[in-house]
Amino acid sequence: MADIPVYNAKDVVLTLGNIVIQGFQDGDMISYTIKEDRVQTEVDAQGIPSIAINNNRLGQVIINLSGNSASHKYLNSLANANKIVPIVIKTPNEKITGNQAIIAKPADGQFGKQTPKRTYTIEVLDMDVQVVA
């Protein structure tokens, strides 16, 4: 009988500038996207298609921290310094990397009944997504 794969959020590790980020908000901790399609296609007036490889490797990572996160101060300091750092998101099955990542802006804030959420948007200039398992 084959083993059934089991996802565990504790297996997800995010490092930004070689520092492990901790203290995520409930729900989605991290999300990522490549900003453009890898290929662009078009068809001329006579129906002949063409394909162009898009070498744009811009990506975006969204990090949802708890307002109580120990990493909130670190990310805010990176944002205020406009510092470019490497980023790695690693799970047992995937590895998302970039050698040049910068926080687009400090997190917005809100206060209320629940623990506040602090969302950081990271622009990655050279994102690479690999499935490793």
Side-chain angles (χ1 to χ4, degrees), residues 68-113:
N68 296 336
S69 169
S71 296
H72 179 38
K73 183 176 180 179
Y74 172 67
L75 292 182
N76 185 262
S77 70
L78 287 179
N80 288 336
N82 296 315
K83 188 167 183 179
I84 296 175
V85 296
I87 187 170
V88 177
I89 305 166
K90 193 170 183 183
T91 76
N93 299 320
E94 295 176 276
K95 186 175 183 183
I96 297 89
T97 60
N99 293 315
Q100 300 177 72
I102 188 167
I103 297 176
K105 70 176 186 125
D108 292 333
Q110 63 280 340
F111 301 97
K113 183 178 176 183

Side-chain angles (χ1 to χ4, degrees), residues 29-119:
M29 302 183 310
I30 307 161
S31 60
Y32 67 89
T33 187
I34 299 289
K35 294 181 86 170
E36 292 187 9
D37 294 338
R38 295 285 171 120
V39 296
Q40 297 177 347
T41 59
E42 59 184 41
V43 177
D44 71 11
Q46 295 179 331
I48 299 171
S50 64
I51 299 173
I53 301 298
N54 182 356
N55 293 303
N56 183 341
R57 295 298 178 251
L58 291 176
Q60 189 175 74
V61 175
I62 305 294
I63 302 171
N64 293 311
L65 292 182
S66 163
N68 296 336
S69 169
S71 296
H72 179 38
K73 183 176 180 179
Y74 172 67
L75 292 182
N76 185 262
S77 70
L78 287 179
N80 288 336
N82 296 315
K83 188 167 183 179
I84 296 175
V85 296
I87 187 170
V88 177
I89 305 166
K90 193 170 183 183
T91 76
N93 299 320
E94 295 176 276
K95 186 175 183 183
I96 297 89
T97 60
N99 293 315
Q100 300 177 72
I102 188 167
I103 297 176
K105 70 176 186 125
D108 292 333
Q110 63 280 340
F111 301 97
K113 183 178 176 183
Q114 296 178 323
T115 304
K117 180 165 91 172
R118 297 295 180 253
T119 299

